[in-house]
């Protein structure tokens, strides 16, 4: 997974893709180590081959649930990747550390590439308008109410970082929302579900290639976010981090329940990932229990 070329990505074992972010995070990499990984793991959105995927998506022999899942995933990532690109400018500007800034520069390059990849999928696979502004409007029409609420929260947090770029606690809130929730849960779960759904079929290789490549990039982004937030907790900023998570986590878990055509327990997967991430940053176990146990059906059944 770490050293595979673009043409090799759709043929990697799904298990390697699904556990990659966890393996990277477990090493607790420093930003400079993540930068070096970025140097080795370049790929081109222009090299994706999507022509056959368009035909398959409109082939009635492909199960309707599969086609709906792919359409929802692409529309969701059109919004998510462009929003990520929009958010990272203020996060880079407010970076409190030189090594953080060097890594965040690579992440902006990644988000630019991801945005181009999903714009291509929107136009060439879904048949949306090629103009990015029009495409984004069309994608929003396919989105869910929780998506809108989360976007409003992201807009508020990023605006506050832009207005107070030297406020470290505010910067950590933006990283909590973007790296831990948007990237570390929603994007990661969406990518994993899509890779898992396509694992045993020789279809949609262009889409599969793009999402495996993005999944590998996301492993670096999540690794950085966990490092920055772990440092923030150690430096006494836990309450600022907890505050934004109180707002964002219920929205993220609600969003997971608002997709059609996907027979996957998003909520359980998201809660498992959140528990690991919160443990990795050193969050207070009492806060983790308060935040997640009321959403975890398994815990609710156990306590009942």
């Amino acid at each position: 997974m770490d050293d595979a070329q673009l043409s090799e990505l759709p043929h990697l074992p799904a298990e390697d893709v699904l556990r990659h972010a966890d393996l990277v995070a477990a090493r607790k990499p420093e930003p400079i180590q993540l930068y070096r990984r970025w140097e080795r793991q370049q790929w081109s959105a222009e090299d994706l081959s999507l022509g056959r995927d368009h035909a398959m998506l409109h082939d009635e022999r492909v199960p309707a649930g599969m086609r709906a899942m792919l359409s929802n995933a692409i529309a969701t990532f059109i919004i998510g990747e462009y929003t990520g690109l929009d958010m990272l400018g203020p996060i880079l500007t407010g970076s409190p550390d030189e090594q953080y800034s060097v890594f965040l520069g690579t992440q902006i390059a990644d988000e630019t590439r991801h945005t181009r990849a999903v714009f291509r999928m929107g136009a060439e696979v879904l048949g949306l308008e090629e103009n990015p502004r029009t495409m984004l409007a069309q994608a929003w029409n396919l989105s869910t109410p929780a998506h809108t609420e989360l976007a409003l929260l992201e807009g508020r947090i990023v605006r506050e970082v832009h207005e107070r770029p030297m406020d470290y606690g505010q910067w950590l809130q933006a990283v909590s929302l973007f790296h831990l929730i948007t990237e570390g849960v929603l994007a990661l779960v969406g990518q994993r579900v899509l890779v898992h759904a396509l694992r045993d079929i020789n279809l949609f290789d262009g889409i599969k290639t793009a999402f495996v490549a993005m999944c590998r990039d996301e492993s670096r982004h999540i690794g950085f976010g966990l490092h920055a937030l772990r440092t923030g907790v150690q430096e006494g900023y836990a309450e600022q981090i907890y505050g934004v998570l109180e707002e964002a986590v219920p929205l993220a878990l609600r969003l997971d329940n608002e997709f059609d055509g996907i027979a996957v327990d998003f909520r359980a997967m998201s809660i498992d990932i959140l528990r690991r991430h919160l443990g990795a940053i050193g969050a207070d176990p009492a806060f983790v229990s308060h935040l997640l146990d009321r959403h975890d059906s398994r815990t609710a059944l156990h306590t009942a």
Side-chain angles (χ1 to χ4, degrees), residues 36-79:
R36 290 170 183 148
R37 294 175 73 88
W38 175 81
E39 288 266 18
R40 300 198 315 268
Q41 295 174 344
Q42 296 300 301
W43 58 281
S44 170
E46 297 302 313
D47 288 342
L48 296 171
S49 179
L50 299 170
R52 293 183 61 200
D53 292 29
H54 173 80
M56 291 175 200
L57 194 68
H58 297 83
D59 189 333
E60 293 185 358
R61 292 172 295 181
V62 177
M66 174 71 71
R67 288 184 279 131
M69 182 271 289
L70 290 171
S71 297
N72 282 333
I74 293 169
T76 298
F77 276 90
I78 288 170
I79 297 167

Side-chain angles (χ1 to χ4, degrees), residues 120-131:
R120 282 196 62 203
M121 285 188 275
E124 298 173 36
V125 179
L126 297 189
L128 301 180
E129 290 288 338
E130 290 189 16
N131 181 281

Side-chain angles (χ1 to χ4, degrees), residues 159-291:
R159 186 166 57 251
E160 291 170 352
V161 172
H162 180 71
E163 292 170 354
R164 301 195 302 277
M166 303 307 292
D167 187 329
Y168 182 43
Q170 189 66 54
W171 184 83
L172 287 169
Q173 287 199 329
V175 171
S176 301
L177 181 56
F178 184 60
H179 290 81
L180 190 63
I181 300 299
T182 303
E183 297 261 272
V185 177
L186 298 178
L188 188 63
V189 168
Q191 290 158 355
R192 286 180 172 182
V193 167
L194 189 143
V195 169
H196 187 273
L198 297 179
R199 65 189 297 177
D200 296 324
I201 59 174
N202 293 319
L203 300 174
F204 302 108
D205 272 4
I207 295 173
K208 192 187 304 184
T209 299
F211 277 91
V212 173
M214 290 193 290
C215 202
R216 183 171 64 183
D217 292 346
E218 229 70 86
S219 299
R220 296 192 302 272
H221 306 167
I222 295 165
F224 169 79
L226 295 179
H227 171 85
L229 295 174
R230 184 164 53 245
T231 302
V233 169
Q234 292 167 355
E235 293 175 345
Y237 288 84
E239 291 305 317
Q240 285 90 332
I241 294 168
Y242 297 167
V244 74
L245 292 178
E246 289 270 18
E247 293 186 77
V249 166
L251 288 175
L253 296 179
R254 225 183 79 204
L255 188 147
D256 285 345
N257 286 335
E258 292 180 351
F259 283 104
D260 294 325
I262 309 177
V264 173
D265 191 347
F266 268 113
R267 179 178 292 259
M269 190 184 300
S270 298
I271 289 172
D272 285 343
I273 290 171
L274 271 168
R275 285 193 193 280
R276 288 197 297 273
H277 288 350
L278 292 171
I281 69 172
D284 183 347
F287 171 74
V288 177
S289 179
H290 154 76
L291 186 66

